[in-house]
Amino acid sequence: MRNAAWVVVAALAVVVGVGLPIYVFPPVDQVERADLIYVIGPVTNPRLDLAEELRDAGVADRILISVAAEGPESAASFDICTEPAVECAHPEPFTTKGEAGLLSQLAPEADDVVVITFTPHVARTRFVFDRCSEATVTVMAAEHPVSLAAWTYQYLYQTAAFMKSWLTPCTDDSEP
């Protein structure tokens, strides 16, 4: 019994250790200029704030925001969606791969794009957009408080989603 407990503790330590540079401390991208700032869902105030901060700093004039088709996270819920040079659109499917496809549809001329998400999603966002988009993508994380329980969930969710993203084509409509 004692040996089994040590095996579980050791396995957990390996999982946490491997996940730290991927989910908790992903490499930070810097950008000076881009063609487009793209906020991927779900839309949150920290993501919108970062997009506006980057726009105000002159990184890009245009913002694309991935929103739900309806409900509290739809374009109708966000004042920014009515601003000039801001486009709010719903990807089909409403997944990271769907968001990469939306970028290709709505901004095929955008060669350099800043994509905004949150920290646990940065590495997978880079992977999906590098694989499923023609644009050169810089991924930035908006600051969101994440509880220990949420980190545990994100480790599991992002790992499963990474595997699925790796194993399925860019046009898969069931990717998380």
Side-chain angles (χ1 to χ4, degrees):
M1 184 71 159
R2 186 179 217 174
N3 288 338
W6 280 111
V7 168
V8 169
V9 168
L12 184 60
V14 168
V15 168
V16 169
V18 168
L20 283 173
I22 297 170
Y23 304 127
V24 181
F25 304 109
V28 177
D29 291 337
Q30 298 298 321
V31 65
E32 291 183 23
R33 186 80 182 124
D35 300 314
L36 177 72
I37 300 164
Y38 187 12
V39 178
I40 61 173
V43 178
T44 63
N45 287 331
R47 292 180 200 199
L48 294 176
D49 292 346
L50 179 55
E52 290 179 311
E53 179 182 315
L54 291 170
R55 179 185 60 193
D56 293 348
V59 170
D61 298 324
R62 189 170 158 213
I63 298 174
L64 173 61
I65 303 171
S66 174
V67 295
E70 54 189 39
E73 293 185 358
S74 67
S77 300
F78 300 103
D79 292 339
I80 191 172
C81 291
T82 63
E83 292 181 13
V86 175
E87 183 172 1
C88 294
H90 175 69
E92 277 298 332
F94 196 20
T95 64
T96 307
K97 285 182 185 175
E99 289 168 325
L102 182 67
L103 174 63
S104 298
Q105 287 176 338
L106 297 181
E109 76 292 345
D111 293 325
D112 295 302
V113 177
V114 176
V115 177
I116 299 174
T117 186
F118 80 128
T119 302
H121 192 224
V122 166
R124 185 163 63 91
T125 298
R126 280 190 188 112
F127 176 78
V128 170
F129 276 79
D130 284 348
R131 198 168 158 230
C132 302
S133 170
E134 297 295 319
T136 299
V137 173
T138 300
V139 181
M140 301 183 83
E143 295 297 321
H144 292 271
V146 182
S147 68
L148 181 59
W151 275 115
T152 302
Y153 172 79
Q154 286 300 324
Y155 260 73
L156 296 171
Y157 180 86
Q158 296 298 336
T159 300
F162 237 126
M163 290 294 130
K164 188 165 187 180
S165 294
W166 184 61
L167 294 170
T168 59
C170 290
T171 57
D172 178 46
D173 62 357
S174 61
E175 182 263 336

